[in-house]
Amino acid sequence: GCPAQHRQWRPMVNALQIGTHLSPEDIGELQAQSARILEDPICDVEVAKVPNFIVAREGPAWDQRSVVDKAVWLVTERFSEKRDTVNRLTDLVLDRLQDEELRLLFRLDQGFNHTMYFMTIHAWLLHRRLILEGKEGYRIDDDLFESCWACTKQWMQVKKVKEFRFSAELRNTQEYMFTLMLSLDDTLDRADILAARMQLVLWANVYSGEPSRNAHFIVLLTKYILRQLSMILQLPAESVMEGRFKWADFQVTAVSKEKLEKRKALMKVYPYKLPVRRGDAVE
């Protein structure tokens, strides 16, 4: 997109982010774009298909355990099981960062900024579901974000951020992460303009307003997030609180393997490689 396009849409983005009044014309355009996005069936996961994304638990479910087994779990395994849940949820987030094809589809390079934003999107999706489970959900949510901060610090070490700048850079990064998450939260206020608001939030934050706001890969990322949100909000509490599910992937036939290879060749190359698996050592 050209600078004139950026100037044209920046006031609407600013209004969305700081909660100022949107004109009736803005609302009308957001409603129309939301309708266009939601016409694509990939944005939604049908109730009947949700079980396809649940990972079966080994051993009996909680309501099938004996009184003795429940008592033993409460005394000896409760905290280790919570840790295991956080690890599984962290792995779910990091799994997305390892998916090169997905990143190429959304034109997210292997650099720090795009990796951090892609991690934040998936942490936000999990956050939106976990907070529905009350106090215990909030606890797991807090621990998940601690895992995300640990990844961020590790990536900053790989980037060789100077020691005297480290704390300031970490705070700056956290501000960007929270800005994205709060902006995504705000998109949920109105269903009729949700999809278009989300598209603008991604354009302004993840892509820094550089490409056209209607670039196909930004629209596709919007649809992807809506699909994951649809699936995760329908998951049963046990699957969420144990981290036993997988992402709702879908086939994208509009972008060929050849086109992805060409896109990969044009991606910016960085002088570092970020570790995107839990437990990876910093080189």
Side-chain angles (χ1 to χ4, degrees), residues 122-134:
H122 291 91
W124 176 79
L125 286 164
L126 298 177
H127 160 76
R128 293 305 311 182
R129 183 61 182 85
L130 285 166
I131 61 175
L132 300 179
E133 296 305 324

Side-chain angles (χ1 to χ4, degrees), residues 115-277:
T115 302
M116 181 269 294
Y117 276 129
F118 206 33
M119 175 181 72
T120 302
I121 286 169
H122 291 91
W124 176 79
L125 286 164
L126 298 177
H127 160 76
R128 293 305 311 182
R129 183 61 182 85
L130 285 166
I131 61 175
L132 300 179
E133 296 305 324
K135 186 164 61 174
E136 193 61 31
Y138 274 100
R139 288 198 187 103
I140 293 173
D141 190 48
D142 287 344
D143 288 347
L144 174 62
F145 278 107
E146 284 301 321
S147 291
C148 291
W149 302 147
C151 289
T152 304
K153 291 175 185 177
Q154 190 179 39
W155 296 342
M156 288 171 64
Q157 291 175 335
V158 173
K159 271 187 70 183
K160 301 190 185 312
V161 174
K162 301 294 184 183
E163 187 175 348
F164 70 93
R165 289 286 307 158
F166 199 90
S167 294
E169 288 290 336
L170 180 61
R171 283 196 302 272
N172 188 51
T173 299
Q174 289 173 333
E175 285 178 12
Y176 279 106
M177 294 170 76
F178 279 123
T179 296
L180 175 58
M181 288 189 288
L182 291 172
S183 298
L184 288 171
D185 281 343
D186 289 341
T187 67
L188 305 180
D189 291 343
R190 284 188 56 168
D192 60 330
I193 58 175
L194 188 162
R197 289 179 76 183
M198 185 174 288
Q199 177 189 339
L200 283 173
V201 164
L202 297 172
W203 172 71
N205 290 272
V206 179
Y207 298 96
S208 303
E210 292 176 0
S212 164
R213 74 183 183 99
N214 285 322
H216 67 89
F217 52 90
I218 300 179
V219 175
L220 185 60
L221 179 57
T222 304
K223 293 176 180 179
Y224 169 86
I225 295 172
L226 291 171
R227 179 177 176 81
Q228 305 311 324
L229 191 61
S230 170
M231 180 274 294
I232 203 168
L233 290 177
Q234 298 181 75
L235 285 173
E238 185 177 78
S239 299
V240 174
M241 297 301 284
E242 295 183 358
R244 297 186 186 279
F245 59 92
K246 57 187 178 181
W247 299 108
D249 285 334
F250 57 90
Q251 290 287 84
V252 178
T253 56
V255 184
S256 66
K257 293 286 185 182
E258 292 77 13
K259 188 175 288 187
L260 286 179
E261 285 300 318
K262 289 180 181 178
R263 192 173 291 178
K264 181 179 179 180
L266 294 173
M267 281 289 189
K268 183 175 179 180
V269 177
Y270 291 84
Y272 54 80
K273 182 177 181 181
L274 300 178
V276 288
R277 288 181 176 82

Side-chain angles (χ1 to χ4, degrees), residues 42-93:
I42 69 170
C43 294
D44 185 45
V45 174
E46 298 173 12
V47 176
K49 293 184 178 178
V50 171
N52 296 340
F53 307 107
I54 295 174
V55 177
R57 191 186 199 285
E58 295 179 7
W62 178 258
D63 58 0
Q64 296 174 334
R65 298 185 200 182
S66 68
V67 174
V68 173
D69 285 344
K70 288 180 180 180
V72 169
W73 181 84
L74 287 169
V75 173
T76 64
E77 298 182 31
R78 182 179 180 185
F79 295 105
S80 64
E81 193 154 320
K82 178 189 169 190
R83 182 192 62 227
D84 291 342
T85 293
V86 173
N87 286 341
R88 280 191 288 270
L89 292 174
T90 302
D91 287 342
L92 272 169
V93 173

